[in-house]
């Protein structure tokens, strides 16, 4: 379950990054051209709907994962490591989405693309925030952080860029407690 949710969360960011490539692509890539012409029929709403449905399914899986993690299915170190990997692997996708969104904001006729990308980014950070919340819950259960720190780190996991820092902190705390044992 942990691997499925982690992979799903990671892939979701790259699916979001694929949307502007499909929409704004120049048609020189055979794979993108094939997808755009024969799978999505020149209709951006088809892949957008797929991404949104995939996101809803991932939210359900993340909530189930959170419940299982709270029941102690995985150690804090396992969760912290996986959380950090997910966050680090997503960085290139988020950078690409940010740059495309910024470019589309500058070009006034494409500002709608920026808004959609921003909304999808918020959905994505929500997914990884739920995943990170399980990590901080386990860290508290294993008495590696206080309840106050769990709440602060969990909230920070829903903020862009800060979530990567909190993932690194969680990983360091889980490694430190493992070496003490």
């Amino acid at each position: 379950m942990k691997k499925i949710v982690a992979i799903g969360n990671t892939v979701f960011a790259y699916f979001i990054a694929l949307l502007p490539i499909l929409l704004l692509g120049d048609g020189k890539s055979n794979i993108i051209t094939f997808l755009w012409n024969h799978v999505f029929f020149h209709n951006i709403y088809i892949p957008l709907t797929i991404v949104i449905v995939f996101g809803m399914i991932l939210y359900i899986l993340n909530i189930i994962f959170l419940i299982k993690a709270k029941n102690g299915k995985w150690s804090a170190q396992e969760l912290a490591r996986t959380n950090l990997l997910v966050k680090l692997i997503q960085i290139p996708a988020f950078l690409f989405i940010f740059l495309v969104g910024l470019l589309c904001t500058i070009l006034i006729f494409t500002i709608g693309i920026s808004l959609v990308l921003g909304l999808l980014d918020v959905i994505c950070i929500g997914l990884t925030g739920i995943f990170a919340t399980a990590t901080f819950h386990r860290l508290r259960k294993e008495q590696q952080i206080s309840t106050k720190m769990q709440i602060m780190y969990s909230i920070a996991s829903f903020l862009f860029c800060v979530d990567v820092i909190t993932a690194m902190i969680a990983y360091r705390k889980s490694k430190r407690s493992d070496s003490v044992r």
Side-chain angles (χ1 to χ4, degrees):
M1 174 88 187
K2 179 183 69 157
K3 287 181 182 179
I4 292 170
V5 173
I7 291 169
N9 288 347
T10 304
V11 168
F12 187 72
Y14 284 92
F15 281 168
I16 295 170
L18 180 64
L19 291 175
I21 293 171
L22 285 171
L23 188 61
L24 304 172
D26 60 2
K28 292 181 181 176
S29 170
N30 291 335
I31 296 170
I32 300 300
T33 304
F34 175 80
L35 286 173
W36 186 243
N37 293 335
H38 301 292
V39 177
F40 302 128
F41 307 108
H42 299 278
N43 187 346
I44 193 63
Y45 294 112
I46 295 171
L48 183 61
T49 302
I50 292 169
V51 167
I52 291 171
V53 170
F54 184 58
M56 287 191 275
I57 292 167
L58 279 174
Y59 262 100
I60 293 167
L61 290 175
N62 272 281
I63 291 168
I64 293 169
F65 167 77
L66 179 63
I67 293 167
K68 285 186 173 193
K70 282 188 172 191
N71 292 332
K73 184 150 173 78
W74 301 281
S75 71
Q77 187 173 8
E78 278 182 280
L79 293 173
R81 183 177 155 271
T82 306
N83 182 41
L84 181 59
L85 283 172
V86 168
K87 303 275 187 186
L88 292 176
I89 292 170
Q90 285 183 332
I91 289 173
F94 278 124
L95 285 174
F96 177 77
I97 294 165
F98 175 75
L99 291 174
V100 170
L102 187 63
L103 181 64
C104 288
T105 301
I106 293 170
L107 305 170
I108 197 151
F109 298 110
T110 56
I111 199 158
I113 295 171
S114 297
L115 295 173
V116 170
L117 289 175
L119 177 65
L120 291 172
D121 273 355
V122 169
I123 292 170
C124 193
I125 195 92
L127 291 171
T128 58
I130 293 170
F131 194 87
T133 300
T135 302
F136 296 115
H137 178 78
R138 288 305 314 155
L139 281 168
R140 186 185 56 78
K141 282 289 189 188
E142 294 179 13
Q143 300 175 348
Q144 297 169 22
I145 61 172
S146 66
T147 302
K148 181 180 174 183
M149 294 309 291
Q150 175 197 355
I151 292 167
M152 287 176 41
Y153 288 144
S154 294
I155 291 169
S157 294
F158 290 92
L159 302 173
F160 288 105
C161 299
V162 178
D163 64 331
V164 178
I165 296 167
T166 58
M168 289 178 190
I169 292 169
Y171 182 70
R172 290 195 69 199
K173 288 193 178 287
S174 72
K175 291 284 284 185
R176 188 176 314 134
S177 68
D178 189 47
S179 63
V180 172
R181 290 180 193 178

